[in-house]
Amino acid sequence: MVVYATAVGASVGAMFMGGIIPGILCGAVLMCVVLLRDRVMHFPRQTEKLEKSEVRKIIIDGIIPLGMPLVVVGGIMGGIMTPTEAGAISVVYSLVVSLFVTKTLKVREIFPILLQAVNSTGPLLLIIACARVFSYGLTALKMPVLVNDLILSLTSSKYAFLLLVNILLIIMGMFMDGSASVIIIAPILAPVAASLGISLVHFGIIMAFNLTIGNITPPLGYCMFITAKIAGIPVEKAIKGTIPYIIAEILVLLAITYIEFLVTFVPVMLGFTV
């Protein structure tokens, strides 16, 4: 969302607020999928009741880490910090909590974690850098104008345009990192969306949701590879297990695509321009 907002000049706060209802809707639909699958698969569950002291400890342990998104979103929404500053503050917050509150991190472990972070983000930043160069070249060649003319010559319906965009982004999400895809595609498609009367915030949420689905779709789906490794199962088996959830997320995607109210209600209510 931050990358998209930066690329097209949209409000980061409006993007965050626009994602609230789609996020809740997606979570509810995925819970329904789990409930329905449980009736067939009979997933393992905890049968023992927790003591009141255990419940209290779980709540307290959960409140402190949940302070991070509150600080980040609250700081950005309140105009106290930029998204970049919010990212830096969230790192400091997590470091302080891990070292002194939950005490799950030791000082000697900080350097290996930083090294691992560099190894993880280095390739991603290289991809984003190359994507920015490519995006600049497309803009210099007036590709957004050409794409705009091409699409408008094919259809003047914003609903058909959004359907084509969804198909394109789902395919791109399967093969490219989300941030790189946004940098390349957003400056090209956002002007077309605006010319068809589509809100930039609405279009941004559609784009973000699409590319998030790409996190669990092969062959790139790195979330799928990570969870398969954690679960200790072959990736092929994990792919099969994600199919019901991908279908559910696509249904949510179609809902937020064609029911603009689901995205724009909260930002408009809070006074943002969408």
Side-chain angles (χ1 to χ4, degrees):
M1 289 184 185
V2 174
V3 173
Y4 171 85
T6 304
V8 305
S11 166
V12 175
M15 290 292 298
F16 282 173
M17 294 302 100
I20 289 178
I21 293 179
I24 293 173
L25 184 61
C26 182
V29 170
L30 291 178
M31 285 190 284
C32 290
V33 173
V34 173
L35 181 62
L36 292 173
R37 294 194 73 202
D38 175 59
R39 295 187 177 183
V40 178
M41 309 288 291
H42 302 293
F43 295 144
R45 64 185 68 192
Q46 181 174 325
T47 55
E48 301 84 8
K49 290 186 177 180
L50 294 174
E51 299 292 334
K52 289 185 178 179
S53 58
E54 292 179 298
V55 174
R56 192 180 304 111
K57 185 178 184 303
I58 290 172
I59 292 174
I60 293 173
D61 289 345
I63 286 175
I64 297 173
L66 284 174
M68 182 191 293
L70 292 177
V71 169
V72 172
V73 177
I76 295 174
M77 294 297 301
I80 301 172
M81 61 188 81
T82 66
T84 303
E85 293 167 346
I89 290 173
S90 66
V91 172
V92 174
Y93 182 93
S94 62
L95 187 63
V96 171
V97 170
S98 300
L99 283 174
F100 304 111
V101 181
T102 61
K103 296 182 179 179
T104 55
L105 181 67
K106 295 180 175 59
V107 175
R108 67 173 180 271
E109 295 174 333
I110 294 177
F111 181 76
I113 289 174
L114 293 175
L115 186 61
Q116 184 179 357
V118 171
N119 289 333
S120 300
T121 57
L124 176 60
L125 291 175
L126 182 61
I127 292 171
I128 292 175
C130 293
R132 280 198 173 276
V133 174
F134 184 64
S135 177
Y136 175 80
L138 293 178
T139 304
L141 293 171
K142 298 183 178 180
M143 190 60 67
V145 177
L146 296 176
V147 171
N148 182 64
D149 294 341
L150 175 62
I151 293 176
L152 292 180
S153 67
L154 295 174
T155 177
S156 58
S157 169
K158 69 177 183 179
Y159 303 108
F161 167 72
L162 288 173
L163 178 62
L164 293 174
V165 167
N166 280 331
I167 295 172
L168 171 65
L169 291 175
I170 285 179
I171 294 173
M172 286 193 68
M174 295 172 64
F175 297 98
M176 288 187 65
D177 172 75
S179 297
S181 299
V182 168
I183 292 171
I184 293 173
I185 294 296
I188 296 175
L189 294 182
V192 183
S195 68
L196 292 173
I198 301 170
S199 160
L200 286 181
V201 173
H202 182 210
F203 188 71
I205 296 299
I206 293 171
M207 181 171 280
F209 200 99
N210 258 300
L211 296 173
T212 301
I213 295 176
N215 290 337
I216 59 171
T217 53
L220 181 63
Y222 48 83
C223 285
M224 179 184 59
F225 285 93
I226 293 171
T227 51
K229 184 177 180 181
I230 293 173
I233 60 175
V235 175
E236 295 79 10
K237 190 174 181 180
I239 293 172
K240 184 178 178 182
T242 60
I243 292 175
Y245 303 99
I246 293 175
I247 293 172
E249 290 191 352
I250 289 175
L251 292 176
V252 176
L253 172 63
L254 292 174
I256 66 173
T257 297
Y258 294 111
I259 307 176
E260 186 178 357
F261 172 82
L262 294 175
V263 175
T264 59
F265 173 72
V266 175
V268 170
M269 186 178 65
L270 294 176
F272 287 99
T273 301
V274 297

